[in-house]
Amino acid sequence: MADVLGSLGFTQDLPDDSAELDDFHLLSNALRNERNTQDILEYKHDLVERVQRRLQEQADRVDTWKEAGKNQYDDVDMSLPILCSTLNVNRFRFLLKAYWRARLQKIERFATLILDKQELQRHCSPQELSHCLQYFVAVGKCLKEVVLAKLPEEFQTLVQESQLTEARDMIPAPRLDRCVFIKLLKDAGHVAVDAEGTQLVDMKAGDIYIIQYSLVQRLVQQDIAVLI
Amino acid sequence: MAPTASLFEYVSSKLDEPPLTPEELEFMAEHEKVTIVPNFTLNLPNSMLTCIEGTYGPFRPNIPVEVPLYLALALNRRNKCRIQPPGWMAREKLKAVLDEERTIPQYFQPVPQYYVETAKMLFAEARAIFGTNAEVNEIMDLVEELKKVRNSKILDGLRKVSGPITVKLNNLSASESNKIRLLFENSLNMWHQLSKNDKEWQEVRMTGTTDTPATL
C-alpha cells in the first residue's frame, strides 16, 4: 500500500505557482490548516525534514561566526549577520513547534480513533504514533482507575458505551461538517457547494469562501486551498 | 449524528478558542516583504544573507533591497537602514482605495492580506518613514477609515446571512476573517444543523412514522 501511495505522489508534479511560496509560507499554511479543522491531516514529512536540516545548518553557521568573533581579534564585525540569522532561526523554531503542538493536541483528542483506523495512522509521523499510543495507555489507565473501575462491569470499557453493544460507539470523531474559511491557492474548477452536489461553483485562485469543510476536504489535502 | 461524548474527548478537549490568535497573525505578517535602503554591507560573500526560506541581498549602502518586515524593523531599530513605505500605504493610493471601497458596496477592494498588522507595526516602530507628523497622522487616519468602512461592509454582509449557504468573501484580510470567524462559522453551523433536522423531519412525515427526529 505504501508503494502505491509513493508512486502516486511522484506522478503528481508540483505546479509552477507553488514555487513562489517559500518554506515559511508552506509551513505557516500547514499550521493554519491544522488549527482550523479537526480533521487529522497528513504529516508534512518532506517540508519538516527540509526545514529542520536548514535550521541546523543556519544554527551551525551562527555558532562558527560567534567562535570566529571570539578567537580573532581583528576588525571583522559579524554582529549583523549573527543578529539576522538568529532572528531567522528563532522564528522558524517557533513555527515548527507551533505546528507540532497543533498536531499533538489533535492527536491526543482523537487518540482512540487514530489507533482504531489504519489510514489515519499513515497520516502521522512515527514519533506522533508512539506518543499517541503512550498517551492512550497512560490516560486510559488513569481513567480506568479513577472512574471506570467503580462502574458495573459491563460499562467498564473505554471505547464502547456498554459491553452489550458490538460496535465501538464511544470513539470521538472529528467533525468535518463544520464551516471553515478557505482561500484558493490555485484554480480548482467546479466544486459542489452543497451536500447534494447540485450547486456548482467555479473556484478561482485567490477566492475566499466560507464553506463546510467536508465539501473542500480534497482541496485542502491536495494543497489547492488553505484554511485561513 | 453527533459522536457520542467519550471520556477521552472530555479529557483532551479545550474550550472553543480562535484557531489563530492576533499575535500569531502578527508573526505571520512579519514575513511580508518590504523594501529597505541599507547603510551597511555584510561581511559575507557578495553581502548576501542566507536564511532558511531563501537568500536576501545583496546589502550595499543606498541600494534598495527587499527583506521580510521583521528584519527591516530589527535593522531600523539599530539605525542600519531606512524602510521605504509600502506602495499601498502611499497617500494617493489609500485615498483611491478608500473611495472605491465607499462607492462599490458589493465588493471588497484588494488590500494586502496583513494590511492591519503591517500598518500597526510600521506606525509603532517606524513613524518617521512616512514624513512629518501631520503626514503620518493623515495616513493613519486613512488606514483607520479604511478599516471602518470594510468593517461596516462585513457587518452588513453578516446581517444578510439567513440560511445554510456558502459565502464568498474575496479580498478579506487576515485580521478581518479572524474577527468574524467564531460568530460566522458557528451561526452557519447552526443553520446547517437546522436544515438537516428539517430535512429529517420532512422525511419522517413522508414515511408516516410518528417518531420525532433527533434534535440538536
Side-chain angles (χ1 to χ4, degrees), chain B residues 167-183:
Chain B
V167 185
K168 185 175 177 182
L169 278 172
N170 279 8
N171 295 325
L172 198 68
S173 83
S175 72
E176 285 158 354
S177 55
N178 222 31
K179 184 158 39 172
I180 58 170
R181 183 191 309 279
L182 289 182
L183 174 63

Side-chain angles (χ1 to χ4, degrees), chain A:
Chain A
M1 194 63 199
D3 277 325
V4 177
L5 288 173
S7 61
L8 270 179
F10 273 113
T11 51
Q12 246 183 354
D13 278 332
L14 277 175
D16 293 330
D17 49 348
S18 79
E20 288 171 22
L21 290 177
D22 61 33
D23 281 353
F24 181 86
H25 288 114
L26 289 176
L27 199 53
S28 59
N29 280 354
L31 171 66
R32 286 170 162 241
N33 285 346
E34 294 292 347
R35 285 282 185 82
N36 281 317
T37 173
Q38 298 185 349
D39 190 16
I40 294 144
L41 297 162
E42 212 170 322
Y43 184 69
K44 304 250 179 222
H45 284 282
D46 297 345
L47 179 63
V48 171
E49 251 171 57
R50 190 167 67 229
V51 168
Q52 273 187 300
R53 201 182 59 237
R54 296 219 187 122
L55 200 62
Q56 195 53 47
E57 286 171 12
Q58 188 85 342
D60 289 347
R61 218 174 294 147
V62 174
D63 284 343
T64 43
W65 287 339
K66 279 185 182 160
E67 282 302 310
K70 269 183 216 155
N71 297 334
Q72 303 165 4
Y73 291 96
D74 49 14
D75 285 340
V76 181
D77 179 19
M78 293 304 264
S79 60
L80 267 187
I82 291 177
L83 167 79
C84 298
S85 305
T86 314
L87 278 176
N88 189 242
V89 165
N90 287 344
R91 298 177 71 83
F92 264 88
R93 280 203 183 123
F94 171 81
L95 193 61
L96 208 51
K97 280 180 191 164
Y99 176 65
W100 284 332
R101 273 200 207 106
R103 282 188 65 87
L104 281 181
Q105 196 192 332
K106 262 195 291 191
I107 284 171
E108 287 184 358
R109 181 164 179 179
F110 299 113
T112 37
L113 183 74
I114 293 171
L115 293 175
D116 197 47
K117 288 211 166 134
Q118 286 279 325
E119 66 258 38
L120 285 181
Q121 292 179 15
R122 275 198 293 276
H123 285 185
C124 303
S125 72
Q127 292 94 324
E128 284 171 343
L129 265 188
S130 89
H131 173 82
C132 179
L133 194 63
Q134 285 173 17
Y135 175 86
F136 176 76
V137 172
V139 175
K141 189 161 162 267
C142 169
L143 287 174
K144 277 200 167 151
E145 280 170 9
V146 176
V147 188
L148 295 174
K150 299 182 173 60
L151 297 179
E153 206 171 316
E154 60 264 40
F155 296 116
Q156 285 193 0
T157 128
L158 264 173
V159 290
Q160 285 158 258
E161 205 165 290
S162 84
Q163 275 172 351
L164 302 173
T165 53
E166 280 298 308
R168 296 177 166 180
D169 50 5
M170 288 263 279
I171 296 179
R175 295 209 44 189
L176 302 183
D177 57 348
R178 306 294 290 253
C179 290
V180 290
F181 283 64
I182 188 170
K183 182 171 188 176
L184 276 293
L185 298 174
K186 311 166 196 162
D187 294 352
H190 291 276
V191 178
V193 293
D194 56 2
E196 291 83 27
T198 48
Q199 222 183 327
L200 293 175
V201 164
D202 187 13
M203 292 198 174
K204 292 246 183 344
D207 286 357
I208 294 175
Y209 289 91
I210 304 170
I211 190 170
Q212 284 187 296
Y213 176 73
S214 50
L215 299 172
V216 289
Q217 187 176 23
R218 180 182 60 86
L219 302 182
V220 174
Q221 284 170 346
Q222 293 173 359
D223 285 327
I224 297 172
V226 57
L227 303 177
I228 60 168

